[in-house]
């Protein structure tokens, strides 16, 4: 062959190697690229560690991390070893000579191509499968921790007499191990079969035996292990029947054994277990017999048995034994389901009393007096008045209030507790005058102040507005002195960098100021390494080089209460409604948290995300559960998040909950004792709404404890749609201080109504004592209505058709205003039910709701009046003044009644001059956006107009009306 590269007679061409400098540069770039990729992967881990350390919950991070790493390594290694050993064994058992056939000649070429790299191929395949298996196993860290830390429930299931902890903690882990075993055996079987085929141990078209003895023995052992695992699965399936969900006429989401399960499926699973064990032994026997005849027969018998015994026989039992007399057959199992479900959802002590729903009292004066004592009627609906808070108390465009405010209890000036509507003035970046990185993350960093209003009265400026007990910027009022800056809140989702050279916008009594964060929250950015990590993690390179960051700078993130509690306690399910409370000189977000499981035997399951939806949760809030379906829930933890420094504290609430005890063993020191709850915090703890909604949904069926009646569904209830909301959705529960029949005093309660299934009339009323400081906290009381009483929807329909309402709506059309209904409150009263509903107007000169009317209904009578007191007087047929609530529309101008007003031309001129002066001051304050001065000017203006009206008697009526309109319009413009 000629020398293609040139010989002695021609030049030799050499391919030059890169110079040392180039090689060094390439190596350096390669190392830097690897380091950069490694740093990007490490940044997320490092910032997580820094955050957990900043909130003093590093043990949660390390426990979770090491558990995941341990599961990843153990199960990844097991899967890799199982696969690798079987591939190696199949290769080692290959025949020394391959058959002479076209099939084998084709395979020889593949073997030749793979031979030089077979070790690397083996390592690559086993490593890849091991990584996948390990990653999957690491996701089972909750299952593992519950298994190794599980404590006894102290209750046994009625079928197998095993502690509930077996089903809640042990069975899920056993099922994971079984699933992992099946995956390892199937993958090993496939890999071994392919290796045997590649090296001639298995043949498809070649003459002679289809498999060598070695291949037969190897694959038979794997098949034997598979069938043995199937036997274990049949045995576990027996216990799985106690937590199995199925369709059943008696109720949706039935869980537990039924007659066919106990008398057909259970013995069938036992028989199939025995058959599977025998079949596995036959597969193992091929190591000596070297034939698949008996194993194949055994496997066929097992499949046939599964069809006949596991499928056909139960169907026959269901068809010919159960269906002809289903109610009697299923009665014992319905009883078990009722008892387990009521216990699992903590409704077993719910008190159900018959209640006529119709009063026998004809004395209107007595009913009127009893009505005052029956409840503190909350005419300020927290679901409606948020726009009023926004317009009257926003003060700056870059502040906001939540769409749904919260109801709590605070002491008034008289020292008595009163229902209070409260909301925090949080930051709203969309309202900034100019959006840029510095403004978004350095200048505008926090909200300011808690705004509170009485729930049972209205204000007079303008009339029908909230009666604020805490207002202004900074706020002043009846609340004790507290830290007003809000760095952590429900609407605070962006990160902020505080405490460094860049100052933050702030407020003091004399106006705008700047401040620098003094708290110890957040993660320090003084280190260049930390800044680089956050620049990568947040995808914001300016964090690395910005001059606005320096010594003392700290980054705040994960700022919503829900995010923070979920992060420090990932094993809890968080309530959808965190609420603020002014406690100990700070604003504390109170977060209710639940422990759940879906492994409570016989307890019917519910989907939390569906059960907790009502007419208010659309696009606002909803529970996102760790486990979509649960059949056990406890409000086991009360958590607080400090609105200033973000500190998270977890307090044990349910001291008997075995699920919480299990997690406390897994994460020791993270949950404080119930005895550590401060007294002033205890005064603001309440029964959580989402738990109440879950319980009320279950009680629509499980208030019935008689199996026959439960099966027939004759006394089933439903949660009615919210009649005050145009969009479909269940009526939300309402917090209300009220007195149930048999109680001596009002209790802060959470209430709801039921209607009979498919009917609009009132079926039942439910209330739970929601005051955590009460001895009766958590006591559920149900009033089953025994006569036909109007339901909420029917009352609302009657109200809409009322002549007074129709006239009111017609009059509104001329003012370009709309009517808006508030919460329809239901209160048991002297054998009947009193309905009270505030009615607001919105539009016209003001674009926020003002309380204008109150509707009331008792028995067959419905009224529509100017105030709560007038409505109660009218519905009971009593003449008298409004002693319950100040009128929502004053009948005469308020003023100083201690001495007669000045009259005459001199007084009129002075009043007009004062009015002009006040008007000018108001306009100047409006231009400066000085809302404190503006409010004072409006008060002075109204006072001057009243004096002017009084000074000239002929114009008195018109003057009073003008003063109201001027004050209202001015306030609206200012808003």
């Amino acid at each position: 062959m000629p020398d293609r590269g040139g010989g002695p007679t021609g030049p030799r061409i050499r391919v030059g190697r890169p110079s040392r400098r180039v090689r060094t540069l390439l190596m350096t770039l390669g190392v830097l690229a690897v380091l950069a990729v490694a740093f990007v992967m490490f940044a997320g881990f490092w910032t997580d560690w820094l955050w957990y350390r900043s909130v003093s919950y590093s043990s949660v991070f390390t426990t979770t991390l090491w558990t995941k790493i341990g599961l990843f390594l153990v199960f990844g290694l097991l899967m890799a070893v199982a696969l690798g050993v079987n591939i190696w064994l199949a290769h080692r058992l290959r025949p020394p000579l391959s058959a002479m056939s076209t099939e084998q000649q084709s395979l020889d070429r593949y073997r030749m191509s793979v031979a030089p790299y077979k070790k690397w191929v083996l390592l690559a395949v086993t490593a890849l499968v091991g990584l996948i298996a390990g990653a999957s196993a690491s996701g089972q860290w909750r299952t593992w921790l519950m298994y190794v830390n599980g404590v006894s429930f102290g209750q046994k299931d009625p079928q197998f007499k095993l502690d509930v902890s077996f089903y809640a903690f042990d069975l899920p882990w056993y099922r994971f191990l079984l699933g992992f075993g099946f995956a390892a055996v199937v993958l090993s079987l496939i890999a071994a079969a392919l290796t045997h085929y590649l090296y001639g141990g298995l043949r498809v078209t070649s003459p002679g035996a289809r498999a060598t003895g070695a291949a037969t023995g190897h694959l038979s052992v794997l098949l034997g292990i598979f069938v043995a695992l199937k036997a274990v699965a049949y045995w576990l399936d027996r216990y799985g029947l106690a937590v199995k969900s199925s369709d059943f006429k008696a109720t949706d989401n039935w869980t537990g054994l039924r007659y066919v399960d106990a008398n057909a499926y259970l013995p069938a699973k036992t028989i199939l277990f025995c058959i599977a064990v025998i079949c596995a032994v036959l597969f193992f026997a091929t190591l000596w017999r070297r034939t698949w005849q008996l194993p194949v027969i055994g496997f066929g018998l097992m499949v046939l048995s599964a069809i006949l015994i596991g499928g056909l026989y139960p169907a026959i039992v269901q068809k010919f034994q159960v269906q002809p007399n289903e109610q009697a057959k299923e009665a014992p199992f319905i009883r078990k389901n009722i008892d387990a479900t009521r216990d699992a959802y903590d409704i077993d002590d719910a008190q159900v009393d018959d209640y006529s729903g119709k009063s026998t009292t004809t004395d209107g004066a007595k009913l009127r007096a009893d009505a005052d004592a029956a409840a503190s009627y909350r005419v300020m609906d927290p679901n409606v008045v948020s726009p009023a808070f926004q317009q009257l108390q926003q003060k700056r465009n870059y502040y906001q209030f939540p769409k749904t405010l919260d109801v709590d209890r605070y002491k008034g000036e008289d020292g008595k507790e009163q229902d209070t509507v409260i909301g925090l003035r949080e930051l709203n970046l969309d309202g900034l005058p100019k959006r840029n990185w510095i403004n978004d993350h350095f200048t505008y960093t926090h909200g300011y102040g808690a705004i509170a209003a009485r729930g049972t009265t209205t204000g007079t400026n303008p009339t029908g507005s909230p009666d604020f007990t805490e207002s202004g910027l900074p706020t002043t009022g009846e609340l004790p002195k507290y830290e007003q800056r809000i760095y952590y809140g429900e609407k605070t989702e962006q990160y902020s960098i505080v405490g460094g050279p860049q100052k933050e916008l702030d407020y003091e009594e004399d106006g705008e100021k700047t401040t620098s964060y003094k708290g110890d929250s957040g993660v320090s950015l003084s280190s260049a390494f930390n800044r680089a990590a956050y620049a990568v993690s947040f995808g914001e390179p300016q964090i690395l080089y910005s001059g606005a960051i320096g010594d003392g700078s700290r980054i705040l993130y994960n700022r919503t209460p829900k995010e923070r509690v979920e992060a420090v306690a990932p094993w809890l399910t968080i309530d959808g409604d965190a609420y603020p409370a002014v406690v100990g000189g700070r604003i504390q977000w109170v977060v209710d948290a639940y422990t759940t499981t879906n492994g409570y035997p016989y307890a019917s399951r519910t989907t939390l995300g569906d059960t907790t939806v009502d007419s208010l949760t659309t696009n606002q809030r909803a529970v996102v559960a760790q486990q979509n379906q649960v059949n056990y829930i406890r409000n086991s933890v009360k958590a607080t998040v400090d609105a200033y420094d973000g500190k998270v504290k977890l307090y044990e609430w349910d001291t008997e909950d075995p699920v919480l005890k299990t997690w406390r063993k897994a994460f020791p020191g993270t949950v404080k004792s119930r005895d550590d709850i401060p007294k002033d915090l205890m005064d603001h703890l309440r029964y959580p709404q989402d738990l109440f909604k879950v319980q009320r949904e279950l009680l629509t069926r499980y208030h019935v404890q008689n199996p026959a009646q439960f099966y027939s569904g004759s006394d089933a209830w439903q949660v009615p749609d919210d009649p005050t909301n145009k969009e479909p959705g269940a009526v939300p529960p309402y917090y209300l201080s009220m007195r149930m029949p048999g109680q001596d005093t009002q209790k802060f309660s959470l209430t709801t109504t039921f209607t009979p299934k498919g009917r609009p009339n009132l079926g039942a009323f439910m209330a739970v004592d929601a005051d955590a400081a009460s001895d009766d906290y958590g006591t559920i009381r149900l009033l089953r209505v025994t006569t036909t009483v109007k339901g909420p929807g029917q009352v609302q329909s009657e109200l809409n058709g009322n002549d007074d309402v129709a006239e009111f709506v017609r009059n509104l059309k001329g003012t370009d205003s709309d009517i808006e209904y508030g919460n329809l409150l239901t209160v048991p009263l002297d054998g009947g039910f009193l309905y009270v509903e505030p009615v607001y107007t919105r539009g016209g000169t003001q674009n926020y709701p003002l309380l204008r009317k109150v509707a009331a209904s008792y028995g067959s009578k419905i009224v529509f009046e100017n105030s709560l007191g007038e409505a109660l007087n009218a519905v009971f047929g009593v003449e008298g003044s409004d002693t319950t609530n100040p009128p929502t529309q004053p009948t005469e101008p308020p003023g100083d009644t201690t001495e007669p007003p000045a009259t005459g031309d001199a007084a009129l001129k002075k009043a007009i001059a004062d009015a002009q002066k006040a008007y000018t001051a108001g306009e100047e304050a409006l231009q400066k956006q000085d809302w404190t001065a503006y409010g004072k000017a409006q008060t002075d203006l109204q006072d001057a107009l009243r004096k002017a009206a009084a000074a000239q008697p002929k114009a008195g009526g018109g003057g009073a009306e003008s003063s109201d309109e001027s004050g209202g319009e001015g306030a609206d413009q200012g808003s």
Side-chain angles (χ1 to χ4, degrees), residues 710-731:
F710 185 91
Y711 177 85
S712 68
S714 60
D715 194 24
W717 302 334
Q718 65 185 14
V719 178
D721 284 341
D722 186 356
T724 66
N725 199 307
K726 296 178 181 179
E727 299 297 326
V731 62

Side-chain angles (χ1 to χ4, degrees), residues 381-387 389 401-407 421-424 451 577 689:
D381 184 354
N383 311 312
V384 174
V385 299
S386 178
F389 274 53
F401 291 92
K403 291 182 180 179
T404 299
L405 303 175
D406 289 292
V407 177
V421 178
I422 186 170
L424 299 192
I451 304 300
D577 184 27
Q689 292 187 64

Side-chain angles (χ1 to χ4, degrees), residues 324-342:
N325 192 17
E326 188 172 45
Q327 179 176 312
K329 293 288 188 183
E330 300 290 8
F333 302 95
I334 293 175
R335 164 58 63 190
K336 295 174 184 177
N337 177 270
I338 292 173
D339 292 343
T341 302
R342 289 174 61 88

Side-chain angles (χ1 to χ4, degrees), residues 357-406:
K358 292 187 177 180
S359 175
T360 57
T361 303
T362 58
D363 186 349
K366 180 180 184 304
L367 288 172
R368 180 63 178 87
D370 289 345
D372 283 343
S376 298
Y377 303 93
R378 184 169 36 74
V379 293
M380 282 290 106
D381 184 354
N383 311 312
V384 174
V385 299
S386 178
F389 274 53
Q390 188 82 1
Q391 292 292 326
L392 299 175
Q393 294 297 327
Q394 180 188 21
K395 302 302 184 183
R396 300 292 187 271
N397 286 337
Y398 43 81
Y399 289 135
Q400 63 180 327
F401 291 92
K403 291 182 180 179
T404 299
L405 303 175
D406 289 292

